[in-house]
Amino acid sequence: MLLIVIVPLIDSLGVTVAQAAENGNFAGSVDIGGGRKMYLKCSGRGSPTAVLVGGLRASADDWDISDKSKPTVVTGVGKFTRVCACDRPGTPIGEKPSRSDPVPQPTTAEDALPICTPW
């Protein structure tokens, strides 16, 4: 399952995340508080910021995959507004470890809602 959430990202995040979300292309770890970091990948310009949250075992990179005949989701959305995607906490990237810190387990359905939305 894929989910696209439109939020006023800049107004509700800390300085580090806000800078990543508003300044050109960005890909890297951002401090989300509580000693945790999350991998965030942003591009495009404008407001509101579209936040792409992938399903189980999804990463920010999944939104940038396409057959060569069509633009990726990131490319398409980035043509008209700012777009950011994150790695779900603790999800490995292929054979590599997660780029986002894990969330304590077990989690509930209520816990899953803010999984890539630390604001």
Side-chain angles (χ1 to χ4, degrees):
M1 175 203 319
L2 301 176
L3 174 66
I4 299 177
V5 180
I6 307 292
V7 296
L9 188 66
I10 306 310
D11 294 338
S12 56
L13 299 179
V15 173
T16 304
V17 178
Q19 288 173 342
E22 69 184 7
N23 296 324
N25 291 343
F26 173 84
S29 291
V30 293
D31 185 346
I32 60 171
R36 292 185 51 226
K37 292 189 179 219
M38 182 175 287
Y39 181 81
L40 188 67
K41 186 176 187 177
C42 300
S43 64
R45 295 204 176 277
S47 181
T49 297
V51 179
L52 308 176
V53 181
L56 183 64
R57 300 190 62 81
S59 76
D61 298 339
D62 294 344
W63 296 98
D64 224 4
I65 298 171
S66 171
D67 67 22
K68 301 297 181 206
S69 66
K70 298 178 181 156
T72 68
V73 174
V74 169
T75 303
V77 175
K79 289 180 180 178
F80 62 88
T81 195
R82 185 77 173 143
V83 60
C84 294
C86 67
D87 284 0
R88 294 177 61 88
T91 299
I93 308 301
E95 299 297 318
K96 297 178 182 177
S98 178
R99 298 177 289 193
S100 293
D101 293 340
V103 174
Q105 297 295 323
T107 58
T108 65
E110 184 178 333
D111 295 332
L113 181 62
I115 213 146
C116 279
T117 52
W119 44 93

